[in-house]
């Protein structure tokens, strides 16, 4: 007993039966009625004298590794296949006869009269893992002390001392076996024939675990959860103390739970870092008080499970739309995609890639956080592998050089990312000609468009599957604004914003109001770019009424909120009638390297939408070369001008006073020759809104250089005929987008004829450059001749000959004589002859003065 004292001092279980029973301290259960504690304080079998009887007793014990088990036994019988004992050190079931039992035991006896170590697997026959020396218990009075150890590496050793004193242990062998790692019980099982029912004696059970727990495995369960698997059961209090765990130096778990005896579940508020992570564990102890004195640090690599990308998680960050002429890359269009997340592996399988005309599907490819990949046709994969990750696809969409809408969508159709690129985004005219890619500048600002893209500066022309050469910080700190508002139906208005919106805020009905008041019933954000919002009203709007819509609480994709409510005015467009929108100014003979323009004006009191209107010319008597003015909504307010041209910048450069907001760019204008031609404006219903036949002869005869000088409408309410147009003042040459330099308010003639102004100066300065003879008759069918005489009565010019009069109108004198020379300063007389259908005649004389500067 003295030899056992060092072990007893640290034992987790010790049973000497000195208290005279086995039902407490510790408690043994099982066939308790078939065992006794004898006078020598030994546990002795006392079962029925029936051959084949099996008896058992068990007591709780979870010791499993880093443990020593020891006991004393005396079998006063000749051991055999029917007379032996199994002493279980590890058992997961209190029924040692159960077929489902898992555990380890020492068998004393059997046909070889030995002590051996066995393993029992559920549903199977026990197998010997250490074969003890034969004949060590070959008498009828077999005393033996058994010691079994299992180290923290699951190495077993079996020792026996047949003297029973514990001073002469002899090893029976070693083995490594980690099959079973959990225990619930220690127990005794005896099997005998009828004569040996009382011949099994046991004493001095000792179980010693002096080793602290060992972390065997760390397993990631999700992006925020790990499980720790220790080699033995843990003390619940320490195992569930959050302070005992630290992730990556600073982060503590929000949950620390003892899921099983030796398994700890840790959940963190943040996702694990992709790649390397570090977990430090302190102060844990096993059930027997063995403490981890040195912190355990376990490094682990985390790759999150691949997921289908959500909105703005997978981006298109580079576009090679025009691959020729070659700069340094393979001759192939391509797109680059980028995983914009910091903690997600994206599975691209089934993601749809679309351009304006076709859709293809990406293959089963995974993209790590922050990883780039270039998308090319399958046949081009080998040509791009030198640059990085390559995704080959069939049916690669042909990319339009000028630009188009590209979209990425989930397999379920939900939008991931969209970009409507343009060749204007190169911001470099030489690079837009080909061989250079467009690159996104700041991949953390995916909602920006033109401002966040530019031409690559890499000497090869692009950076496929690599960080972009133009990469820089370009955050969006500017809130959104409303570009325009257009009524698209009696109950709907379309709002266009200057940038992409947060769709949740943009669809909140309470964020919108309209004046005069109409209730808002629905709001929809238009994908895929989320720059347009359709607001639906509960009742219809009225024509010829100007409305103001106010939007509050609207943020852009980056979360920027305007400091003031956003407002825009609009009106419900009316159905146009021919003559509502007319040709107001035409430049058909531009300066060298200049371009033509046609200016329209809405002279009605209606709001008119120019969507699907057309501009044309004529070929003979046939309207031809029809070109769309715009396919988008463009509402022209009463009195509003719009300038149609293929190059607004060119017009603005040549005419600095031009109204910048009045331009509407067309892809191209019909041809308008310098000598003569016809401008035709067509409504969506095919009716001619207005038509103007011009010639260079309509310009003022004293203008030496006609290049760059427009013809302007004189009277807004007058007909679109030659006499109602005049050369723009030579002080401006043209007035694109604003009031004509030669405009004249209609004069209501209270008598048959009135001259306005009575003094004019035909010098081209835009101030009274011509005189008009305004008429008003009360009958139809009259023809007129107008002849101009000077103060001496000499004929100067035959202005009008046999002209059929309307009921009202005007004639214009530009101050030129019959030979095209300029009339001198002085008084002149308009001699007017009127002829009726029945031969009646009347004569009228009106005075006018030609003024000017005297040299």
């Amino acid at each position: 007993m003295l030899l056992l004292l060092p072990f007893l001092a640290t034992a987790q279980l010790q049973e000497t039966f000195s208290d005279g029973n086995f039902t407490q301290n510790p408690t043994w259960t099982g066939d308790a009625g078939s065992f006794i504690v004898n006078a020598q304080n030994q546990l002795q079998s006392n079962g029925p004298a029936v051959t084949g009887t099996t008896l058992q007793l068990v007591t709780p014990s979870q010791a499993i590794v880093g443990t020593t088990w020891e006991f004393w036994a005396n079998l006063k019988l000749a051991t055999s296949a029917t007379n032996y004992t199994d002493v279980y050190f590890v058992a997961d079931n209190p029924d040692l006869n159960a077929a489902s039992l898992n555990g380890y035991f020492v068998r004393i006896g059997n046909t070889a009269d030995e002590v051996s170590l066995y393993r029992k697997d559920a549903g199977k026959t026990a197998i010997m893992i250490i074969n003890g020396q034969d004949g060590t218990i070959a008498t009828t009075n077999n005393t033996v002390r058994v010691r079994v150890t299992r180290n923290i590496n699951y190495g077993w050793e079996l020792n026996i001392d047949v003297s029973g004193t514990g001073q002469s242990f002899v090893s029976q062998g070693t083995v490594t076996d980690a099959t079973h790692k959990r225990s619930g019980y220690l127990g005794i099982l005896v099997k005998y024939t009828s004569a040996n029912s009382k011949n099994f004696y046991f004493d001095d059970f000792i179980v010693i675990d002096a080793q602290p727990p060992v972390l065997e495995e760390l397993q990631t369960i999700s992006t925020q959860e790990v499980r720790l698997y220790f080699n033995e059961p843990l003390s619940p209090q320490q195992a569930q103390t959050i302070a005992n765990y630290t992730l990556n130096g600073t982060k503590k778990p929000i949950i620390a739970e003892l899921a099983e005896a030796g398994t700890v579940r840790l959940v963190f508020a943040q996702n694990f870092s992709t790649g390397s992570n570090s977990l430090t564990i302190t102060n844990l102890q096993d059930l027997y008080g063995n403490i981890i004195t040195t912190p355990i640090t376990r490094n682990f690599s985390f790759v999150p499970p691949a997921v289908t990308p959500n909105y703005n998680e997978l981006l298109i960050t580079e576009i090679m739309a025009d691959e020729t002429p070659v700069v340094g890359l393979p001759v192939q269009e391509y797109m680059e995609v980028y995983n914009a997340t910091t903690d997600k592996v994206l599975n691209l399988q089934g993601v749809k890639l679309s351009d304006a005309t076709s859709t293809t599907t990406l293959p089963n490819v995974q993209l790590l956080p922050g990883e780039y990949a270039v998308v090319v046709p399958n046949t081009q994969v080998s040509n791009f592998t030198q640059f990085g990750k390559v995704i080959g696809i069939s049916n690669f969409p042909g990319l339009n050089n000028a630009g188009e809408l590209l979209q990425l969508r989930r397999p379920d159709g939900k939008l991931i990312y969209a970009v409507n690129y343009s060749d204007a985004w190169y911001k470099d005219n030489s690079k837009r000609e080909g061989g250079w890619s467009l690159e996104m500048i700041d991949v953390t600002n995916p909602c920006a468009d033109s401002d966040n893209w530019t031409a690559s500066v890499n000497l090869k022309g692009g950076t496929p599957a690599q960080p972009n050469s133009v990469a820089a910080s370009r955050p969006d700190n500017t809130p959104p604004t409303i570009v325009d508002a257009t009524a698209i139906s009696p109950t709907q208005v379309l709002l266009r914003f200057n940038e992409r919106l947060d769709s949740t805020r943009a669809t909140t009905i309470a964020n919108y109001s309209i004046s005069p008041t109409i209730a808002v019933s629905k709001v929809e954000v238009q994908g895929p770019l989320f720059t347009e919002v359709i607001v639906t009203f509960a009742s219809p709007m009225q024509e010829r009424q100007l409305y103001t819509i106010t939007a509050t609480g609207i943020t852009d994709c980056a979360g920027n909120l305007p400091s003031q409510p956003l407002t825009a005015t609009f009106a419900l467009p009316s159905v146009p009638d021919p003559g509502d929108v007319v040709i107001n100014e035409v430049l058909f003979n531009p300066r060298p390297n200049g371009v033509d323009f046609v200016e329209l004006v809405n002279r009605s009191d209606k709001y008119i939408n120019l969507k699907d209107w057309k501009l044309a010319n004529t070929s003979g008597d046939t309207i031809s070369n029809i070109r769309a003015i715009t396919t988008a909504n463009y509402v022209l307010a009463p009195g509003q001008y719009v300038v149609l041209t293929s190059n607004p910048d060119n017009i603005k450069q040549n005419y600095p006073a031009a109204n910048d907001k009045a331009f509407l760019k067309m892809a191209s204008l019909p041809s308008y020759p310098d000598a003569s031609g016809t401008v035709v404006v067509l409504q969506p219903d095919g009716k001619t809104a207005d038509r103007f036949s011009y010639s260079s002869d309509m310009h003022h005869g004293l203008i030496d250089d006609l290049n760059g000088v427009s013809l302007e409408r004189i009277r807004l309410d007058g007909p679109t005929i030659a006499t109602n147009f005049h050369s723009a003042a030579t002080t401006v040459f043209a007035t694109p987008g604003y009031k004509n330099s030669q405009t004249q308010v209609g004069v209501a003639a209270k008598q048959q004829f009135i001259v306005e102004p009575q003094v004019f100066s035909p010098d081209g300065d835009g101030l009274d450059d011509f005189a008009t003879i305004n008429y008003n008759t009360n009958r139809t069918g009259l023809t007129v001749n107008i002849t101009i005489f000077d103060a001496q009565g000499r004929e100067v010019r035959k202005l009008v000959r046999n002209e059929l009069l309307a009921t009202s109108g005007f004639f214009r004198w530009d101050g030129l004589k019959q030979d095209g020379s300029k009339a001198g300063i002085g008084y002149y007389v308009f001699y007017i002859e009127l002829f009726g259908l029945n031969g009646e005649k009347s004569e009228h004389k009106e005075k006018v003065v030609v003024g000017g500067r005297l040299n």
Side-chain angles (χ1 to χ4, degrees), residues 115 130 257 343 625 678:
V115 179
I130 294 179
E257 177 183 59
D343 56 3
N625 294 312
T678 301

Side-chain angles (χ1 to χ4, degrees), residues 375-399:
V375 182
V376 296
N378 286 323
T379 56
Q380 290 287 327
V381 170
S382 61
N383 293 331
F384 281 84
T385 53
Q386 60 182 306
F387 304 111
K389 186 171 235 177
V390 185
I391 301 173
I393 60 173
S394 58
N395 303 319
F396 185 89
L399 302 178

